Amino acid sequence: MRDSGRWRIHVKGTVQGVGFRPFVYRSAMEAGLSGHVCNTGEGVAIEIEGTADTRDRFLDRLQHDLPPLARIQELAAEEIAPVGTSGFAIRASRSDGPTDAQISPDVAPCEDCLRELADPGDRRHRYPFINCTNCGPRYTIVEALPYDRPKTTMKAFEMCPACALEYADPLDRRFHAQPDACAECGPRLTFVRSRDREIMGSSNLIEEARAALCGGEIVAIKGIGGFHLACDATNDAAVSELRRRKRRDEKPFAIMVADLEATRKLCHCSEEEVRLLSSPERPIVLLRRREGSRIAPSVAPGNRNLGVMLPSSPLHHLLLHELRSPVTGHRSRVLVMTSGNITDEPIAFTNEDALERLSGIAHAFLLHDREIRTRVDDSVARVMGGRPAVLRRARGFVPAPVRLSFEMPPILAAGADLKGAICLTRGRNAYLSQYLGDLEHALAHRAFEDAAEHLQELLGIRPEIIAHDLHPDYFSTRYAHSLSTLHSPLFAAVQHHHAHVASCMAENDLPNEKVIGIALDGTGFGPDGTVWGGEILLADYSGYERAAHFRSVPMPGGDAAAREPWRMAVAYLEAGGTRQEARIPLLSQIDPERIRTVREMIAKGINCPRTSSCGRLFDAVAALIELRTVNAFEGQAAMELEQIANENEEGRYRFTLDAGSIRNIDFSPMIADILEDVGRDVPATVIAARFHNTLVEALVGSCASILSDARYTMRDARVCLSGGCFQNALLTGRLKKQLEAEGFAVYTHSLVPPNDGGIALGQAVVAAHRHRT
Ligand code: ZN
Ligand code: ZN
Ligand code: FE
């Protein structure tokens, strides 16, 4: 052949278990190229031989015409000597050499599979475990690498001849689809009544589950990453009963809705929200609910938003479609789908565990025999400023790496204790683990340790540096130090808000140059012994200095103050010298005796750590306007304050910014203004908006002041926003807009949570720079 040549191409990224080799095979065959393709420990190796033209076209297609789940991170092609063979082959995996292959996250059913699911002529018609190379479970079923069926929980099922044929055919959509199965050979459902735990022999178990749900019962359903507790979301009695049994008072339940059409009837959704809802990751998306929808009030009491997800597995599709309400006869198509646990425990993910722990909650269980190796919660996201923001990173997102602009040594970062998550690094990839829950209970500790170990094994990362929070009493900190017995790694203790800012820098690919980092959250250990949380840092990856912070106030009762916002209201009133008695009927819901005690605690400094926390400021304001004096769940007061705020209100309150060496932002004048407004019966919706506007103005003013400070030299005015308070769309949106109007370049989180679920990434990059030689 004229100008014939041969290339060896190495591809790294998510290229295994996603139909990449069949795609290469088809592309090569169509182009008339000869050669072969195989999986390696690091990705995929390809050799092609043909004319320069066809090779160029092939390479172009390889980069721009990928299967939906494939992601190329690196591609290297080298010229080698032609060998003159004909034909193209898919060769067996090579598992020698280093391991850097990536596992795909779990993926919701693709359009092709859904069509087959609904097609009476298809051999997988109504089969609840249908999947292909473009969709299905991945991370949750993998036991070890390389990603082959014997190393997944599908090893228990032997393929029938029909499935085996598809699996072996390079032109089939199920070529090497490891979880491939059918009703003949694959996983099966069982339905269990908890009364007697007897397995029902009915031929259509989904019908049984549906009947139970429509009859107002609670059914535990095994999903992709664990169990859900489900009930009819339009049946208030059923939802209230679920709340009582799950011991969850007010925290909103997520709902699962059959399709977009049904979702639009319940909630307002923008184009961006539609994209997020129907993305392969299928997160729970926070949407503004429509007035007068059929959703039972107890699903999300007093909440303007609803957490909505579309079906994330074929089983969910079958369940949701054709669901009918027994009351109206109308298709109901909406289920509460909340995590299968009691309050804050980890979700159940094995059949035995579910039958044990959930038997006091569920009337019945819809189980199956495909084991879940790795427990993964539902992800939670919302659209902020037209961009998706992942608030809980779990199913669908993990273990896709966050790609960094620089090389990292192998690091394990242990994260923080609220919204636990670890981060492992190799090369330019940072693997942020799934959300591992709040590390308060022994059960959560065990789940955390198991997840951390499994992820290290799976990725083959042996950390040389262990990073953790400064907080000595965090479980995650103790876990980090327990790893010293294994080998002798280096340690790096990273300040909480520095980690927040570094995490935002890393997600946005920023170089190691100083930025202004605004870190606003509930609580983080400060090196001066106070509790930080309203911080403006001048930071890069190597270090930080505290440039400004909210004036610190006493936090009466420590952690109790986070549960009882009224305590912070009293603290702010005392700090501003405002006599509470003069302001009736402030805090009328609280026993005056308790208020007196708290004032005494403050006066005498008993159990009153000082805090600059922004979260506690939100608490104080929510309590002052009697919106919320006691939190039923973490962050409730702040969430409600955002939700009620009148978006058309432009007014604001006073504050002072004193420009010492560390700037102090004092909101006492604002508290006095709020009291005036309350006295004049200004609506809470207006006060809430003015509060947000004041925060924004104070922060923008501080950034401008820092920028003009001769002591600092910053190449350009970059501002990073991080911390749990930036789950607040109103605050994030207004602050970003104002800062940009002042000429700042503003960076926010998108795929990494702004809350403590993203902090491990920041710890890792800081640790890498600190130990850089
Ligand atoms: Zn599919
Ligand atoms: Zn089969
Ligand atoms: Fe935090």
Side-chain angles (χ1 to χ4, degrees), residues 147 169 174 181 228 257 275 354 377 467 471 522 553 558 568 612 690 759:
Y147 176 63
D169 177 1
R174 296 194 167 84
H228 286 114
V257 183
R275 243 196 307 276
D377 290 71
H471 202 308
V553 295
M568 290 312 299
S612 58
R690 290 178 179 168
I759 214 166

Side-chain angles (χ1 to χ4, degrees), residues 416 418 469 474 496-497 500 519-524 532-533 722-725 754-757 759:
L418 215 58
D469 197 271
Y474 269 175
H496 191 92
H497 303 93
H500 270 306
L520 306 180
D521 66 1
T523 169
W532 291 15
S722 190
C725 293
N755 57 47
D756 286 4
I759 214 166

Side-chain angles (χ1 to χ4, degrees), residues 107-183:
V107 179
C110 70
E111 289 301 317
D112 289 330
C113 284
L114 287 182
R115 201 174 325 108
E116 291 168 352
L117 188 69
D119 176 4
D122 192 274
R123 69 187 193 89
R124 289 190 183 81
H125 179 226
R126 301 183 61 76
Y127 180 56
F129 304 96
I130 188 171
N131 67 82
C132 71
T133 47
N134 299 326
C135 73
R138 295 288 187 279
Y139 177 53
T140 52
I141 61 164
V142 176
E143 292 172 335
L145 282 187
Y147 176 63
D148 275 325
R149 188 159 170 131
K151 291 183 175 175
T152 71
T153 60
M154 283 301 293
K155 64 175 184 240
F157 304 95
E158 198 180 327
M159 271 186 235
C160 69
C163 285
L165 265 179
E166 296 167 332
Y167 183 87
D169 177 1
L171 294 178
D172 194 279
R173 205 173 88 245
R174 296 194 167 84
F175 176 70
H176 281 209
Q178 308 303 349
D180 185 22
C182 71

Side-chain angles (χ1 to χ4, degrees), residues 734-769:
R734 293 214 164 160
L735 181 56
K736 185 167 190 285
K737 205 171 137 205
Q738 282 298 313
L739 283 168
E740 283 171 348
E742 297 289 321
F744 290 97
V746 182
Y747 299 90
T748 58
H749 286 285
S750 180
L751 290 175
V752 173
N755 57 47
D756 286 4
I759 214 166
L761 172 64
Q763 291 173 347
V765 291
V766 168
H769 283 79

Side-chain angles (χ1 to χ4, degrees), residues 404 406 408 411 502-503 506 541 760-770:
L404 303 174
F406 41 82
M408 297 276 287
I411 295 179
S503 147
Y541 296 122
L761 172 64
Q763 291 173 347
V765 291
V766 168
H769 283 79
R770 198 177 288 172

Side-chain angles (χ1 to χ4, degrees), residues 139 373-376 412 420-422 424 433-436 444-459 479:
Y139 177 53
R373 167 57 187 89
T374 299
R375 173 195 346 241
V376 181
L412 182 150
I422 66 154
L424 289 163
S433 79
Q434 70 271 28
Y435 164 83
L436 298 172
H445 293 173
R446 249 175 289 148
F448 177 91
E449 287 166 346
D450 175 61
E453 259 165 53
H454 182 55
L455 202 58
Q456 283 174 79
E457 269 171 42
L458 210 52
L459 298 167
Y479 171 77

